[in-house]
């Protein structure tokens, strides 16, 4: 039987009056700038969920939270009669739908949003912010200090989300542009974030992967859903998207990279160094290269492994660029700096590690010691011990090569990866450049 209790009846009233909404219509007298989200509803048994009192033509979002092991289903196709409306899966256990003209309700089994007995869900009404890009310099942002969370989970994690409508005619070259995603933070923390191109019905546009070089010719308007979940943070976490055309770093000669920007490197049959000709006073001399630069293939946006800092010199930072048969690109959000490419001649050696415990010797004056896994090691635990006060930075990639992450462990600590994730690279940061040893273990 369909679930049809008073708390769901006239859901719009509930949406705009829930205590978790500081920007409600009732409070401000104007349309909110973000998705307005309900309190959670519990799922009892394998019931059907019925939402009533909705408006046709408006975009709604369902946020599912499973309390038991269940499988998130793909979007199903509806008949358009109000009882079989299509639910569009857009990631993060989130579904969108729009009711056709004349419909004010939707009914669907809880299993259609991956929920079983004990799960819960929230319902949100989307407000789309219109934004025109004469260039990508201003960007679009969500996060702490910029916007309010749309809701908080039981564990204290805060969820941020916004939908942006983009007029394609305002993009200088819509046939060739990229989205540069920049996460800024004033302290350490745990966060997951992503963005998705969706159409006017809230359905993900499959041909716009978002991480590759994109072609929007033929589109008049597209929408970007920007999502971020902050698990914890010691300072503000902000996720920003910029739209721009990528610039290629030539095989010879130097160019300047600047913030925000995405830069291409053409195919190469040999390993190379990307030499950044600038000293940084932050992050122990690494500057923004302490973070993952999101290296990926230009054509499909899939992650490209092994692009990371391998040396800190008196004049700058050296990044490893493995050989590659297709053009790659990376993001940059630091101070303007000249860069150039050089053939990798072994001047900056890189250690390797298998599923083992291995000790590395760091010579005097070496402030960064890089290590590459010998192959993909999914779901492993990585540990580090050192005879000095230092830390290890770990790049993380997913088995499908979509997305990336980064984390750190101090001496005596471990990091356990989920089954679908593996270490991309590791580097030991030795701030004082003292001769020392450190031991890595992958198990």
């Amino acid at each position: 039987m369909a679930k049809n209790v008073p708390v769901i009846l006239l859901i719009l009233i509930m949406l705009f009056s829930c205590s978790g909404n500081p920007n409600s219509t009732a409070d401000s007298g104007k349309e909110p700038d973000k998705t307005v989200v309900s309190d959670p509803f519990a799922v009892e048994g394998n019931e059907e969920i019925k939402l009533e009192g909705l408006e046709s033509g408006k975009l709604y979002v369902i946020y599912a939270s499973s309390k038991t092991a269940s499988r998130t289903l793909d979007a199903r196709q509806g008949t358009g009669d109000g009882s079989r409306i299509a639910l569009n899966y857009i990631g993060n256990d989130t579904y969108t739908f729009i009711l056709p003209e004349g419909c004010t309700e939707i009914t669907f089994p809880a299993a259609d949003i991956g929920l079983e007995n004990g799960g819960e869900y929230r319902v949100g009404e989307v407000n789309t912010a219109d934004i025109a890009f004469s260039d990508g310099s201003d960007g679009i942002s969500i996060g702490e200090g910029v916007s309010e969370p749309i809701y908080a989970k039981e564990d204290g994690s805060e969820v941020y989300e916004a939908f942006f409508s983009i007029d394609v005619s305002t993009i200088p070259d819509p046939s060739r542009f990229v989205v540069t995603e920049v996460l800024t933070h004033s302290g350490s923390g745990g966060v997951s974030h992503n963005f998705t191109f969706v159409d006017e019905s809230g359905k993900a546009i499959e041909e716009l992967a978002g991480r590759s070089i994109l072609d929007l010719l033929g589109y008049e308007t597209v929408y970007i859903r920007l999502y971020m979940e902050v698990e914890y943070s010691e300072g503000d976490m902000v996720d920003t998207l910029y739209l721009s055309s990528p610039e290629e770093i030539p095989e010879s000669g130097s160019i300047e990279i600047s913030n925000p920007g995405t830069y291409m490197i053409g195919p190469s049959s040999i390993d190379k160094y990307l030499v950044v000709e600038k000293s940084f006073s932050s992050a122990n001399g690494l500057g923004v290269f302490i973070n993952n630069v999101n290296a990926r293939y230009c054509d499909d946006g899939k992650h490209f492994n092994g692009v990371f800092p391998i040396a800190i010199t008196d004049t700058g930072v050296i990044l490893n660029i493995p050989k590659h048969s297709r053009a790659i690109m990376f993001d940059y959000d630091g101070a303007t700096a000249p860069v150039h490419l050089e053939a990798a001649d072994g001047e900056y050696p890189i250690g390797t590690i298998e599923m083992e415990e291995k000790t590395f010797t760091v010579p005097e004056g070496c402030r960064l010691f890089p290590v590459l896994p010998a192959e993909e090691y999914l779901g492993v635990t990585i540990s580090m011990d050192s005879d000095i006060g230092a830390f290890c930075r770990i790049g993380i990639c997913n088995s499908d090569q979509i997305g990336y992450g980064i984390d750190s462990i101090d001496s005596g600590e471990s990091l356990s990866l989920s089954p679908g994730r593996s270490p991309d690279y590791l580097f030991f940061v030795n701030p004082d450049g003292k001769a020392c040893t450190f031991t890595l273990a992958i198990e």
Side-chain angles (χ1 to χ4, degrees):
M1 178 177 292
K3 182 176 182 179
N4 185 9
V5 296
V7 72
I8 296 182
L9 187 63
L10 298 177
I11 197 167
L12 287 179
I13 295 176
M14 173 274 297
L15 285 172
F16 285 109
S17 61
C18 63
S19 60
N21 173 29
N23 291 328
S24 70
T25 301
D27 292 339
S28 63
K30 64 179 181 179
E31 194 74 10
D33 294 329
K34 62 171 186 174
T35 303
V36 183
V37 181
S38 72
D39 288 332
F41 299 111
V43 171
E44 299 175 2
N46 189 25
E47 65 187 6
E48 285 204 326
I49 296 170
K50 184 174 184 178
L51 306 179
E52 296 181 298
L54 308 178
E55 293 185 44
S56 60
K58 281 200 170 185
L59 178 61
Y60 292 93
V61 185
I62 300 173
Y63 307 91
S65 178
S66 178
K67 297 288 187 181
T68 60
S70 62
R71 181 174 61 90
T72 299
L73 304 180
D74 292 332
R76 69 178 190 178
Q77 298 300 311
T79 62
D81 62 1
S83 62
R84 292 292 295 172
I85 306 300
L87 296 176
N88 306 307
Y89 181 62
I90 59 172
N92 311 108
D93 295 321
T94 303
Y95 302 78
T96 59
F97 68 91
I98 289 181
L99 295 178
E101 186 67 30
C103 285
T104 60
E105 64 183 49
I106 182 174
T107 302
F108 54 90
D112 275 19
I113 56 173
L115 295 184
E116 301 172 355
N117 185 47
E120 63 181 28
Y121 64 94
R122 301 171 187 259
V123 182
E125 179 183 316
V126 172
N127 180 72
T128 302
D130 293 321
I131 186 164
F133 283 87
S134 56
D135 58 51
S137 60
D138 291 335
I140 53 180
S141 299
I142 58 172
E144 298 168 311
V146 172
S147 60
E148 294 291 331
I150 58 172
Y151 68 92
K153 295 186 174 182
E154 287 184 2
D155 62 4
S157 299
E158 294 182 332
V159 175
Y160 296 83
E161 178 189 72
F163 286 79
F164 295 91
S165 170
I166 298 173
D167 181 355
V168 175
S169 68
T170 64
I171 299 174
D173 184 0
S175 68
R176 184 178 177 274
F177 83 101
V178 294
V179 178
T180 302
E181 186 174 15
V182 175
L183 181 68
T184 57
H185 47 94
S186 54
S188 62
V191 62
S192 59
H193 54 96
N194 57 61
F195 63 92
T196 306
F197 281 91
V198 298
D199 61 19
E200 63 277 0
S201 68
K203 185 177 181 180
I205 304 175
E206 298 297 335
E207 59 267 28
L208 298 181
R211 282 81 185 161
S212 58
I213 294 180
L214 302 176
D215 182 358
L216 287 183
L217 290 177
Y219 293 90
E220 294 182 0
T221 304
V222 293
Y223 302 87
I224 287 183
R225 181 239 189 184
L226 183 55
Y227 175 93
M228 179 171 69
E229 181 178 335
V230 179
E231 299 170 5
Y232 69 94
S233 64
E234 296 179 358
D236 289 345
M237 288 274 185
V238 177
D239 193 24
T240 303
L241 300 183
Y242 301 92
L243 274 65
S244 62
S245 294
E247 183 177 356
E248 186 166 359
I249 298 174
E251 290 188 18
S252 61
S254 176
I255 70 165
E256 285 193 335
I257 59 175
S258 59
N259 176 15
T262 297
Y263 296 90
M264 297 173 53
I265 300 176
S268 174
S269 60
I270 62 171
D271 297 337
K272 291 187 175 182
Y273 299 139
L274 179 67
V275 181
V276 183
E277 305 167 41
K278 180 180 176 61
S279 295
F280 298 97
S281 59
S282 60
N284 300 298
L286 284 168
V288 298
F289 294 113
I290 190 73
N291 296 320
N292 198 312
V293 298
N294 189 20
R296 59 207 188 273
Y297 289 104
C298 294
D299 55 4
D300 61 12
K302 289 192 175 181
H303 186 75
F304 178 64
N305 287 12
V307 177
F308 70 113
I310 58 173
I312 302 170
T313 70
D314 292 337
T315 57
V317 177
I318 312 297
L319 271 71
N320 184 57
I321 309 294
K323 59 186 178 182
H324 48 281
S325 59
R326 295 142 53 200
I328 62 171
M329 58 186 175
F330 67 92
D331 298 332
Y332 182 69
D333 62 328
T336 300
V339 301
H340 69 271
L341 292 166
E342 294 181 0
D345 58 5
E347 181 179 358
Y348 308 104
I350 301 173
T352 59
I353 187 170
E354 300 179 352
M355 288 278 285
E356 60 181 336
E357 181 179 291
K358 188 173 183 179
T359 298
F360 299 89
T361 300
V362 181
E364 185 75 23
C366 177
R367 293 187 287 158
L368 188 153
F369 194 104
V371 179
L372 279 173
E375 57 184 275
E376 182 182 65
Y377 300 121
L378 294 171
V380 296
T381 295
I382 305 161
S383 305
M384 190 273 287
D385 284 292
S386 172
D387 55 3
I388 64 167
F391 66 95
C392 185
R393 196 78 163 146
I394 303 167
I396 303 166
C397 57
N398 299 319
S399 58
D400 60 4
Q401 296 302 99
I402 301 296
Y404 64 96
I406 196 162
D407 212 324
S408 295
I409 52 175
D410 293 324
S411 181
E413 293 184 340
S414 298
L415 173 68
S416 295
L417 302 181
S418 58
R421 311 193 88 189
S422 64
D424 176 2
Y425 58 79
L426 310 96
F427 59 87
F428 178 80
V429 181
N430 178 20
D432 298 325
K434 297 178 179 178
C436 62
T437 63
F438 69 97
T439 299
L440 284 176
I442 297 182
E443 57 186 5

